């Protein structure tokens, strides 16, 4: 197993001190998640407030009306965002991790697959949200539903999610319909749905199911997970390639293939991005050679946006009450 002390990233400007290649050599999924979250929280200047008898718990985005004494100005100087130090449990949200385990997620040009990277991202988010006292659930899928664990806050829930994530990649194709339909049907009240997938599926089905989730009031975050070799096709000579989901063999010429591939890849990515933008869904691209704290940052950004939306909603409701009292 890799030594945790040897995971330093040589880039001093990086938010994370953990190199993803070294992190993936650690066999324990739980230890990977803990290392990423602990490093991320250290970067957020996690420390107790002087003079307070209540132990510091976590950060949350600032909302108008919050006590300015709880603002972390050092964090603002680094992130250009306002965060409040929390000293008690203020969260009570249902969060579902929806993780793609189809055969395309088994692709790799690095030492590890997209699936292994996605599992680590899911475990990291699960650990982070568990620390926030959120109810965490899991759904894995390929062309059908794999593991389903209802969102709970009971002891042992995070361990159960780790067991569900540890199942190997199976199946063939990617079907986004079933998992998103099931999540929409099973979540009784508004929550946070985090979809971790390479999204190698038709955009129409994605649009329909994301719209169904949003219509029920769920906040949705899409973490598109890609191998660097999927973004840029590097062929040095004519080659025979095999589609990992259909097993179809295709003979490619480098110059023609690179141009066609990049055009189709960019078109698909643009369609996915436009779909998410139109539905108010946040999408982030995670490349498997990048630090995993990017996934955590995406969730913090989402919470920041939710905090601002809640504040606007509160101000509008207050204004309505004032108009009604006149």
């Amino acid at each position: 197993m890799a030594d945790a002390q040897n995971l330093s990233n040589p880039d001093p400007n990086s938010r994370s001190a953990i190199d993803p290649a070294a992190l993936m050599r650690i066999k324990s999924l739980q230890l990977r998640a803990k290392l990423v979250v602990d490093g991320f929280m250290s970067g957020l200047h996690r420390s107790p407030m002087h003079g307070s008898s209540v132990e510091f718990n976590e950060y949350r985005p600032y909302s108008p009306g919050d006590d300015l004494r709880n603002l972390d100005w050092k964090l603002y100087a680094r992130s250009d965002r306002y965060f409040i130090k929390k000293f008690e449990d203020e969260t009570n949200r249902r969060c579902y991790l929806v993780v793609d385990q189809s055969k395309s997620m088994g692709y790799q040009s690095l030492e590890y697959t997209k699936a292994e990277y996605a599992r680590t991202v899911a475990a990291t988010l699960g650990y982070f949200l568990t620390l926030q006292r959120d109810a965490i659930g899991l759904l894995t899928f390929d062309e059908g539903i794999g593991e389903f664990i209802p969102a709970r806050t009971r002891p042992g829930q995070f361990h159960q999610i780790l067991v569900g994530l540890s199942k190997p990649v199976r199946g063939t194709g990617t079907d986004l319909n079933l998992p998103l339909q099931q999540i929409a049907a099973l979540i009784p009240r508004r929550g946070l749905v985090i979809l971790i997938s390479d999204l190698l599926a038709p955009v129409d089905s994605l649009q329909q199911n994301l719209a169904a989730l949003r219509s029920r009031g769920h906040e949705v975050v899409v973490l598109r997970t890609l191998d660097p070799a999927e973004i840029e096709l590097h062929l040095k000579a004519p080659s025979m390639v095999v589609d990992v989901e259909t097993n179809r063999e295709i003979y490619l010429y480098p110059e023609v293939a690179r141009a066609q591939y990049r055009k189709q890849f960019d078109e698909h990515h643009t369609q996915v991005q436009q779909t998410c933008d139109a539905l108010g869904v946040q999408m982030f691209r995670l490349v498997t050679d990048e630090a995993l704290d990017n996934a955590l940052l995406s969730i913090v950004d989402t919470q920041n946006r939710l905090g601002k939306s809640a504040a606007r909603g509160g101000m509008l409701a207050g204004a309505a009450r004032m108009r009604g009292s006149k």
Side-chain angles (χ1 to χ4, degrees):
M1 185 173 70
D3 186 346
Q5 294 180 349
N6 294 326
L7 299 180
S8 295
N9 190 318
D11 181 9
N13 296 319
S14 173
R15 286 189 309 272
S16 175
I18 301 178
D19 173 60
L23 184 72
M24 294 300 171
R25 298 188 191 109
I26 297 176
K27 293 183 180 179
S28 169
L29 190 57
Q30 182 173 357
L31 180 55
R32 290 183 205 168
K34 188 176 186 303
L35 283 169
V36 176
V37 173
D38 288 351
F40 182 79
M41 296 303 292
S42 295
L44 290 181
H45 185 62
R46 185 176 188 180
S47 61
M49 175 176 284
H50 297 295
S52 175
S53 62
V54 183
E55 185 178 359
F56 171 62
N57 183 29
E58 61 174 307
Y59 289 96
R60 68 171 174 80
Y62 168 79
S63 297
D66 286 334
D67 190 342
L68 296 179
R69 292 175 297 179
N70 292 339
L71 277 174
D72 190 317
W73 295 106
K74 291 183 178 180
L75 177 56
Y76 169 74
R78 290 194 296 271
S79 66
D80 198 31
R81 296 186 181 92
Y82 294 108
F83 288 95
I84 293 290
K85 290 181 178 180
K86 295 171 60 177
F87 297 89
E88 58 183 349
D89 181 20
E90 297 179 2
T91 58
N92 185 21
R93 178 175 48 201
R94 290 182 177 270
C95 305
Y96 274 92
L97 303 167
V98 183
V99 184
D100 187 349
Q101 290 192 326
S102 61
K103 203 167 182 180
S104 68
M105 294 294 288
Y107 176 75
Q108 67 184 103
S109 68
L110 305 173
E111 300 174 17
Y112 46 90
T113 65
K114 289 188 293 181
E116 194 61 34
Y117 187 90
R119 289 189 193 106
T120 308
V121 168
T124 298
L125 296 178
Y127 182 63
F128 178 73
L129 293 168
T130 296
L131 293 178
Q132 295 191 160
R133 307 295 191 272
D134 288 325
I136 310 300
L138 172 71
L139 187 148
T140 65
F141 68 95
D142 38 62
E143 73 272 22
I145 301 298
E147 298 290 320
F148 176 69
I149 301 172
R152 296 190 178 98
T153 56
R154 65 184 183 183
Q157 179 74 358
F158 179 59
H159 176 73
Q160 189 176 357
I161 286 175
L162 290 176
V163 172
L165 288 170
S166 298
K167 301 296 176 64
V169 170
R170 57 187 182 183
T172 53
T174 304
D175 186 352
L176 294 172
N177 286 311
L178 282 176
L180 295 181
Q181 287 173 0
Q182 181 152 342
I183 284 293
L186 291 175
I187 302 180
R189 55 191 175 123
R190 289 188 290 180
L192 173 64
V193 177
I194 304 173
L195 173 62
I196 307 173
S197 171
D198 54 16
L199 300 182
L200 298 181
V203 178
D204 290 345
S205 61
L206 178 67
Q207 180 179 18
Q208 179 180 358
N209 289 290
L210 290 180
L213 284 169
R214 293 291 291 140
S215 69
R216 299 188 181 200
H218 300 301
E219 187 68 23
V220 183
V221 175
V222 175
L223 302 179
R224 190 178 191 192
T225 307
L226 297 168
D227 187 280
E230 292 178 310
I231 300 173
E232 292 290 343
L233 186 64
H234 298 290
L235 285 179
K236 296 181 180 180
S239 305
M240 180 70 73
V241 299
V242 179
D243 187 316
V244 295
E245 293 195 345
T246 65
N247 290 322
R248 186 165 69 100
E249 295 183 346
I250 308 171
Y251 194 78
L252 299 178
Y253 292 92
E255 295 301 326
V256 177
R258 274 196 296 267
Q260 291 181 344
Y261 177 85
R262 189 55 193 257
K263 180 177 182 293
Q264 293 178 358
F265 180 89
D266 288 346
E267 287 177 352
H268 181 265
H269 184 77
T270 298
Q271 290 173 1
V272 172
Q273 185 67 67
Q274 290 174 345
T275 295
C276 291
D277 290 345
L279 295 172
V281 171
Q282 286 192 293
M283 186 179 81
F284 301 88
R285 190 172 74 175
L286 302 181
V287 185
T288 57
D289 62 353
E290 296 177 350
L292 277 81
D293 68 339
N294 289 332
L296 280 174
L297 188 63
S298 71
I299 299 305
V300 172
D301 283 343
T302 298
Q303 291 173 329
N304 190 21
R305 187 165 70 88
L306 286 174
K308 291 178 180 178
S309 297
R312 285 196 300 269
M315 288 188 291
L316 289 173
R321 287 193 296 269
M322 291 178 64
R323 286 197 301 269
S325 63
K326 292 180 179 180

